[in-house]
Amino acid sequence: MRISERESAARIRARLGRGEHDRVAFRAALLDVAPADRDTWIDLVLGLGEVLGDGPELPPGCVPYLPCPVDALLRLVEQAEVVPTDVFVDIGSGAGRATALVHLLTGARAIGIEIQPELARAARELATRLAMPRVSCVEGDAASLAGTMTIATVFFFYCPFSGERLARVLSDLERIARTRTIRVGCVDLPLPPCNWLVREPPLSGDLAVYRSTP
């Protein structure tokens, strides 16, 4: 990573700590970083260290925590057309990296659902440290809590689980979709056929964005 990129990360981190945030300037600074260095740059901005290990609370069949690549999240907010009035929910949000980044890019309210207490605590500390009151984390099982997020407009899955747990969440989201259009973004997670979801024209193989039907 170039010295200038490290310096820009330090400047933006300092601004965030003072409660100063301009999403247009943030996006421009991120896009000015070489694509191969953007994940490192974001970690510097957010003050993130090594990825936390998984605890015994991770249920069988759930995927161990791994942060979603920045490139995928950039494409997600573009294809799903996330705007400041949206409420973004990350299913299996880990230490809060994706919720923080989506908020910083779009201004949308961002809520994470994370079952592992240590990761949920790290996410809440991140939001507090960088003065992001519109970013939060709910500790608990997403298979039970996703359907309670009735204010959400965008749901995101970075391959947190599959099988019965995924089917349960999608069933709960269908009930929300009966009240209004929602978007569902998935990275590296094939969704089972859902007659209430229509996939947007794919822009890349690992990202899929769906919109609910009326």
Side-chain angles (χ1 to χ4, degrees):
M1 175 180 283
R2 295 175 297 177
I3 294 177
S4 61
E5 293 172 345
R6 291 185 178 275
E7 291 174 343
S8 74
R11 285 194 301 271
I12 290 178
R13 182 180 178 185
R15 291 173 189 165
L16 291 175
R18 296 192 298 268
E20 302 170 4
H21 173 55
D22 180 335
R23 66 177 183 275
V24 175
F26 175 83
R27 181 182 181 88
L30 173 57
L31 295 179
D32 193 47
V33 177
D37 293 328
R38 287 174 184 165
D39 285 278
T40 301
W41 188 87
I42 286 296
D43 287 345
L44 289 174
V45 169
L46 301 181
L48 297 176
E50 294 184 3
V51 176
L52 295 174
D54 295 292
E57 302 85 4
L58 185 69
C62 291
V63 177
Y65 171 56
L66 184 66
C68 183
V70 168
D71 176 67
L73 292 167
L74 279 167
R75 289 181 281 122
L76 170 72
V77 299
E78 178 181 357
Q79 189 171 349
E81 300 176 328
V82 183
V83 297
T85 54
D86 278 313
V87 178
F88 173 86
V89 172
D90 185 8
I91 305 294
S93 54
R97 188 177 189 251
T99 49
L101 179 54
V102 168
H103 169 70
L104 293 173
L105 286 169
T106 68
R109 181 178 176 186
I111 304 169
I113 304 177
E114 174 54 50
I115 196 169
Q116 300 192 65
E118 186 175 356
L119 291 173
R121 183 165 51 252
R124 291 192 291 269
E125 290 173 352
L126 171 63
T128 300
R129 185 172 70 249
L130 296 184
M132 296 185 289
R134 286 172 58 80
V135 177
S136 58
C137 181
V138 177
E139 182 182 323
D141 189 348
S144 301
L145 293 175
T148 68
M149 299 291 162
T150 55
I151 62 173
T153 54
V154 182
F155 290 88
F156 178 60
F157 298 81
Y158 180 42
C159 197
F161 41 64
S162 58
E164 182 180 346
R165 298 176 72 83
L166 177 59
R168 180 178 173 184
V169 171
L170 291 174
S171 177
D172 289 341
L173 298 193
E174 181 182 8
R175 286 191 283 272
I176 297 174
R178 291 174 187 167
T179 65
R180 66 184 183 283
T181 299
I182 64 172
R183 288 96 82 201
V184 177
C186 307
V187 174
D188 291 330
L189 179 67
L191 291 188
C194 298
N195 58 13
W196 57 277
L197 283 177
V198 176
R199 183 173 178 175
E200 297 283 292
L203 299 180
S204 62
D206 63 338
L207 171 67
V209 173
Y210 302 80
R211 292 181 190 267
S212 61
T213 58

